mmCIF file of all heavy atoms in Angstrom:
data_model
loop_
_atom_site.group_PDB
_atom_site.id
_atom_site.type_symbol
_atom_site.label_atom_id
_atom_site.label_comp_id
_atom_site.label_asym_id
_atom_site.label_seq_id
_atom_site.Cartn_x
_atom_site.Cartn_y
_atom_site.Cartn_z
ATOM 1 N N ALA B 73 23.524 -14.120 -5.150
ATOM 2 C CA ALA B 73 24.519 -15.138 -4.817
ATOM 3 C C ALA B 73 25.734 -14.581 -4.099
ATOM 4 O O ALA B 73 26.469 -15.323 -3.453
ATOM 5 C CB ALA B 73 24.945 -15.864 -6.084
ATOM 6 N N SER B 74 25.978 -13.283 -4.234
ATOM 7 C CA SER B 74 27.146 -12.708 -3.576
ATOM 8 C C SER B 74 26.774 -11.366 -2.967
ATOM 9 O O SER B 74 25.682 -10.843 -3.206
ATOM 10 C CB SER B 74 28.292 -12.525 -4.570
ATOM 11 O OG SER B 74 28.071 -11.385 -5.386
ATOM 12 N N LEU B 75 27.680 -10.811 -2.202
ATOM 13 C CA LEU B 75 27.415 -9.536 -1.531
ATOM 14 C C LEU B 75 27.507 -8.345 -2.462
ATOM 15 O O LEU B 75 27.277 -7.211 -2.045
ATOM 16 C CB LEU B 75 28.383 -9.356 -0.356
ATOM 17 C CG LEU B 75 28.087 -10.219 0.865
ATOM 18 C CD1 LEU B 75 29.223 -10.123 1.878
ATOM 19 C CD2 LEU B 75 26.774 -9.805 1.520
ATOM 20 N N THR B 76 27.832 -8.591 -3.724
ATOM 21 C CA THR B 76 27.927 -7.472 -4.658
ATOM 22 C C THR B 76 27.074 -7.656 -5.903
ATOM 23 O O THR B 76 27.061 -6.782 -6.768
ATOM 24 C CB THR B 76 29.390 -7.258 -5.101
ATOM 25 O OG1 THR B 76 29.856 -8.453 -5.730
ATOM 26 C CG2 THR B 76 30.280 -6.894 -3.931
ATOM 27 N N LEU B 77 26.361 -8.746 -6.001
ATOM 28 C CA LEU B 77 25.614 -8.995 -7.234
ATOM 29 C C LEU B 77 24.262 -9.625 -6.950
ATOM 30 O O LEU B 77 24.151 -10.604 -6.220
ATOM 31 C CB LEU B 77 26.410 -9.923 -8.161
ATOM 32 C CG LEU B 77 25.692 -10.421 -9.425
ATOM 33 C CD1 LEU B 77 25.377 -9.242 -10.348
ATOM 34 C CD2 LEU B 77 26.537 -11.458 -10.135
ATOM 35 N N SER B 78 23.244 -9.036 -7.559
ATOM 36 C CA SER B 78 21.915 -9.639 -7.576
ATOM 37 C C SER B 78 21.417 -9.598 -9.007
ATOM 38 O O SER B 78 21.713 -8.648 -9.743
ATOM 39 C CB SER B 78 20.947 -8.886 -6.667
ATOM 40 O OG SER B 78 19.632 -9.414 -6.771
ATOM 41 N N THR B 79 20.696 -10.621 -9.419
ATOM 42 C CA THR B 79 20.142 -10.641 -10.770
ATOM 43 C C THR B 79 18.640 -10.837 -10.718
ATOM 44 O O THR B 79 18.119 -11.542 -9.853
ATOM 45 C CB THR B 79 20.767 -11.755 -11.628
ATOM 46 O OG1 THR B 79 20.502 -13.024 -11.018
ATOM 47 C CG2 THR B 79 22.265 -11.560 -11.782
ATOM 48 N N LEU B 80 17.973 -10.198 -11.660
ATOM 49 C CA LEU B 80 16.535 -10.350 -11.850
ATOM 50 C C LEU B 80 16.328 -10.902 -13.247
ATOM 51 O O LEU B 80 16.791 -10.302 -14.220
ATOM 52 C CB LEU B 80 15.812 -9.011 -11.707
ATOM 53 C CG LEU B 80 14.358 -8.955 -12.189
ATOM 54 C CD1 LEU B 80 13.463 -9.796 -11.291
ATOM 55 C CD2 LEU B 80 13.844 -7.510 -12.211
ATOM 56 N N THR B 81 15.704 -12.045 -13.345
ATOM 57 C CA THR B 81 15.397 -12.627 -14.650
ATOM 58 C C THR B 81 13.906 -12.593 -14.873
ATOM 59 O O THR B 81 13.143 -13.157 -14.082
ATOM 60 C CB THR B 81 15.915 -14.084 -14.743
ATOM 61 O OG1 THR B 81 17.317 -14.108 -14.520
ATOM 62 C CG2 THR B 81 15.607 -14.665 -16.119
ATOM 63 N N VAL B 82 13.512 -11.908 -15.939
ATOM 64 C CA VAL B 82 12.104 -11.873 -16.324
ATOM 65 C C VAL B 82 11.902 -13.023 -17.303
ATOM 66 O O VAL B 82 12.442 -13.000 -18.417
ATOM 67 C CB VAL B 82 11.738 -10.529 -16.981
ATOM 68 C CG1 VAL B 82 10.249 -10.487 -17.305
ATOM 69 C CG2 VAL B 82 12.119 -9.368 -16.066
ATOM 70 N N THR B 83 11.189 -14.031 -16.878
ATOM 71 C CA THR B 83 11.014 -15.208 -17.718
ATOM 72 C C THR B 83 9.769 -15.078 -18.585
ATOM 73 O O THR B 83 8.778 -14.476 -18.178
ATOM 74 C CB THR B 83 10.892 -16.477 -16.859
ATOM 75 O OG1 THR B 83 9.723 -16.361 -16.030
ATOM 76 C CG2 THR B 83 12.116 -16.664 -15.980
ATOM 77 N N SER B 84 9.856 -15.609 -19.802
ATOM 78 C CA SER B 84 8.738 -15.576 -20.739
ATOM 79 C C SER B 84 8.092 -14.193 -20.746
ATOM 80 O O SER B 84 6.909 -14.027 -20.418
ATOM 81 C CB SER B 84 7.709 -16.648 -20.367
ATOM 82 O OG SER B 84 6.699 -16.737 -21.353
ATOM 83 N N ALA B 85 8.903 -13.216 -21.086
ATOM 84 C CA ALA B 85 8.448 -11.831 -21.009
ATOM 85 C C ALA B 85 7.307 -11.561 -21.985
ATOM 86 O O ALA B 85 7.259 -12.113 -23.087
ATOM 87 C CB ALA B 85 9.613 -10.894 -21.291
ATOM 88 N N HIS B 86 6.390 -10.713 -21.551
ATOM 89 C CA HIS B 86 5.271 -10.281 -22.382
ATOM 90 C C HIS B 86 5.241 -8.764 -22.431
ATOM 91 O O HIS B 86 5.852 -8.102 -21.578
ATOM 92 C CB HIS B 86 3.954 -10.832 -21.829
ATOM 93 C CG HIS B 86 3.796 -12.302 -22.041
ATOM 94 N ND1 HIS B 86 4.157 -13.228 -21.099
ATOM 95 C CD2 HIS B 86 3.347 -12.993 -23.107
ATOM 96 C CE1 HIS B 86 3.931 -14.436 -21.562
ATOM 97 N NE2 HIS B 86 3.440 -14.327 -22.776
ATOM 98 N N PRO B 87 4.540 -8.183 -23.405
ATOM 99 C CA PRO B 87 4.526 -6.718 -23.517
ATOM 100 C C PRO B 87 4.131 -6.003 -22.226
ATOM 101 O O PRO B 87 4.650 -4.919 -21.940
ATOM 102 C CB PRO B 87 3.501 -6.481 -24.635
ATOM 103 C CG PRO B 87 3.645 -7.684 -25.512
ATOM 104 C CD PRO B 87 3.890 -8.837 -24.560
ATOM 105 N N GLU B 88 3.267 -6.600 -21.435
ATOM 106 C CA GLU B 88 2.865 -5.939 -20.192
ATOM 107 C C GLU B 88 3.979 -5.911 -19.147
ATOM 108 O O GLU B 88 3.856 -5.223 -18.121
ATOM 109 C CB GLU B 88 1.623 -6.606 -19.589
ATOM 110 C CG GLU B 88 1.760 -8.088 -19.315
ATOM 111 C CD GLU B 88 1.234 -8.949 -20.452
ATOM 112 O OE1 GLU B 88 1.306 -8.491 -21.626
ATOM 113 O OE2 GLU B 88 0.765 -10.064 -20.169
ATOM 114 N N ASP B 89 5.063 -6.658 -19.408
ATOM 115 C CA ASP B 89 6.222 -6.603 -18.508
ATOM 116 C C ASP B 89 7.137 -5.429 -18.846
ATOM 117 O O ASP B 89 8.103 -5.159 -18.110
ATOM 118 C CB ASP B 89 7.036 -7.903 -18.591
ATOM 119 C CG ASP B 89 6.233 -9.110 -18.149
ATOM 120 O OD1 ASP B 89 5.416 -8.972 -17.207
ATOM 121 O OD2 ASP B 89 6.400 -10.193 -18.752
ATOM 122 N N SER B 90 6.854 -4.751 -19.948
ATOM 123 C CA SER B 90 7.657 -3.589 -20.323
ATOM 124 C C SER B 90 7.562 -2.556 -19.210
ATOM 125 O O SER B 90 6.470 -2.151 -18.803
ATOM 126 C CB SER B 90 7.149 -2.986 -21.629
ATOM 127 O OG SER B 90 7.271 -3.911 -22.694
ATOM 128 N N SER B 91 8.716 -2.147 -18.730
ATOM 129 C CA SER B 91 8.732 -1.232 -17.590
ATOM 130 C C SER B 91 10.166 -0.789 -17.334
ATOM 131 O O SER B 91 11.098 -1.196 -18.033
ATOM 132 C CB SER B 91 8.168 -1.938 -16.345
ATOM 133 O OG SER B 91 8.007 -1.036 -15.269
ATOM 134 N N PHE B 92 10.313 0.039 -16.336
ATOM 135 C CA PHE B 92 11.625 0.481 -15.873
ATOM 136 C C PHE B 92 11.910 -0.284 -14.586
ATOM 137 O O PHE B 92 11.136 -0.189 -13.625
ATOM 138 C CB PHE B 92 11.576 1.998 -15.633
ATOM 139 C CG PHE B 92 12.912 2.668 -15.471
ATOM 140 C CD1 PHE B 92 13.899 2.515 -16.430
ATOM 141 C CD2 PHE B 92 13.165 3.475 -14.382
ATOM 142 C CE1 PHE B 92 15.125 3.148 -16.301
ATOM 143 C CE2 PHE B 92 14.395 4.118 -14.234
ATOM 144 C CZ PHE B 92 15.368 3.953 -15.194
ATOM 145 N N TYR B 93 12.970 -1.056 -14.596
ATOM 146 C CA TYR B 93 13.303 -1.871 -13.423
ATOM 147 C C TYR B 93 14.504 -1.248 -12.718
ATOM 148 O O TYR B 93 15.545 -1.001 -13.342
ATOM 149 C CB TYR B 93 13.602 -3.318 -13.843
ATOM 150 C CG TYR B 93 12.368 -4.044 -14.335
ATOM 151 C CD1 TYR B 93 11.983 -3.960 -15.673
ATOM 152 C CD2 TYR B 93 11.568 -4.777 -13.466
ATOM 153 C CE1 TYR B 93 10.838 -4.597 -16.126
ATOM 154 C CE2 TYR B 93 10.427 -5.422 -13.905
ATOM 155 C CZ TYR B 93 10.064 -5.327 -15.242
ATOM 156 O OH TYR B 93 8.925 -5.954 -15.687
ATOM 157 N N ILE B 94 14.349 -1.005 -11.446
ATOM 158 C CA ILE B 94 15.396 -0.346 -10.675
ATOM 159 C C ILE B 94 15.773 -1.222 -9.484
ATOM 160 O O ILE B 94 14.900 -1.742 -8.786
ATOM 161 C CB ILE B 94 14.921 1.023 -10.149
ATOM 162 C CG1 ILE B 94 14.451 1.917 -11.290
ATOM 163 C CG2 ILE B 94 16.031 1.724 -9.363
ATOM 164 C CD1 ILE B 94 13.851 3.238 -10.809
ATOM 165 N N CYS B 95 17.066 -1.361 -9.274
ATOM 166 C CA CYS B 95 17.506 -2.080 -8.087
ATOM 167 C C CYS B 95 18.108 -1.089 -7.096
ATOM 168 O O CYS B 95 18.487 0.019 -7.460
ATOM 169 C CB CYS B 95 18.524 -3.161 -8.424
ATOM 170 S SG CYS B 95 20.156 -2.519 -8.830
ATOM 171 N N SER B 96 18.138 -1.484 -5.868
ATOM 172 C CA SER B 96 18.837 -0.706 -4.854
ATOM 173 C C SER B 96 19.541 -1.666 -3.915
ATOM 174 O O SER B 96 19.227 -2.860 -3.876
ATOM 175 C CB SER B 96 17.879 0.201 -4.070
ATOM 176 O OG SER B 96 17.040 -0.573 -3.239
ATOM 177 N N ALA B 97 20.484 -1.145 -3.193
ATOM 178 C CA ALA B 97 21.276 -1.989 -2.301
ATOM 179 C C ALA B 97 21.545 -1.260 -1.007
ATOM 180 O O ALA B 97 21.703 -0.042 -0.981
ATOM 181 C CB ALA B 97 22.595 -2.370 -2.972
ATOM 182 N N SER B 98 21.573 -2.019 0.042
ATOM 183 C CA SER B 98 21.942 -1.444 1.328
ATOM 184 C C SER B 98 22.914 -2.393 2.016
ATOM 185 O O SER B 98 22.888 -3.598 1.806
ATOM 186 C CB SER B 98 20.713 -1.202 2.201
ATOM 187 O OG SER B 98 20.097 -2.426 2.559
ATOM 188 N N GLY B 99 23.774 -1.815 2.837
ATOM 189 C CA GLY B 99 24.754 -2.624 3.548
ATOM 190 C C GLY B 99 25.204 -1.877 4.782
ATOM 191 O O GLY B 99 25.274 -0.655 4.774
ATOM 192 N N GLY B 100 25.492 -2.586 5.857
ATOM 193 C CA GLY B 100 25.847 -1.901 7.086
ATOM 194 C C GLY B 100 24.586 -1.312 7.680
ATOM 195 O O GLY B 100 23.689 -2.006 8.085
ATOM 196 N N THR B 101 24.489 -0.003 7.691
ATOM 197 C CA THR B 101 23.253 0.622 8.136
ATOM 198 C C THR B 101 22.161 0.372 7.099
ATOM 199 O O THR B 101 22.393 0.421 5.916
ATOM 200 C CB THR B 101 23.412 2.144 8.342
ATOM 201 O OG1 THR B 101 22.133 2.708 8.603
ATOM 202 C CG2 THR B 101 23.986 2.797 7.107
ATOM 203 N N THR B 102 20.971 0.088 7.524
ATOM 204 C CA THR B 102 19.888 -0.182 6.576
ATOM 205 C C THR B 102 18.997 1.023 6.372
ATOM 206 O O THR B 102 17.950 0.934 5.788
ATOM 207 C CB THR B 102 19.031 -1.360 7.067
ATOM 208 O OG1 THR B 102 18.561 -1.060 8.372
ATOM 209 C CG2 THR B 102 19.832 -2.645 7.080
ATOM 210 N N ASP B 103 19.400 2.180 6.889
ATOM 211 C CA ASP B 103 18.569 3.347 6.713
ATOM 212 C C ASP B 103 18.610 3.889 5.289
ATOM 213 O O ASP B 103 17.659 4.521 4.842
ATOM 214 C CB ASP B 103 19.011 4.467 7.675
ATOM 215 C CG ASP B 103 18.531 4.206 9.085
ATOM 216 O OD1 ASP B 103 17.765 3.248 9.273
ATOM 217 O OD2 ASP B 103 18.918 4.957 9.976
ATOM 218 N N THR B 104 19.684 3.719 4.606
ATOM 219 C CA THR B 104 19.833 4.302 3.275
ATOM 220 C C THR B 104 19.986 3.212 2.230
ATOM 221 O O THR B 104 20.780 2.294 2.387
ATOM 222 C CB THR B 104 21.058 5.227 3.218
ATOM 223 O OG1 THR B 104 20.891 6.265 4.175
ATOM 224 C CG2 THR B 104 21.206 5.834 1.828
ATOM 225 N N GLN B 105 19.195 3.345 1.168
ATOM 226 C CA GLN B 105 19.344 2.472 0.023
ATOM 227 C C GLN B 105 20.019 3.257 -1.087
ATOM 228 O O GLN B 105 19.699 4.422 -1.318
ATOM 229 C CB GLN B 105 17.980 1.963 -0.470
ATOM 230 C CG GLN B 105 17.294 1.017 0.500
ATOM 231 C CD GLN B 105 15.959 0.524 -0.035
ATOM 232 O OE1 GLN B 105 15.743 0.459 -1.248
ATOM 233 N NE2 GLN B 105 15.058 0.184 0.860
#
Side-chain angles (χ1 to χ4, degrees):
Chain B
S74 77
L75 286 171
T76 59
L77 173 64
S78 175
T79 60
L80 167 68
T81 302
V82 183
T83 62
S84 187
H86 288 94
E88 57 265 30
D89 298 324
S90 298
S91 188
F92 194 54
Y93 291 87
I94 304 175
C95 74
S96 70
S98 66
T101 172
T102 56
D103 283 353
T104 300
Q105 292 181 27

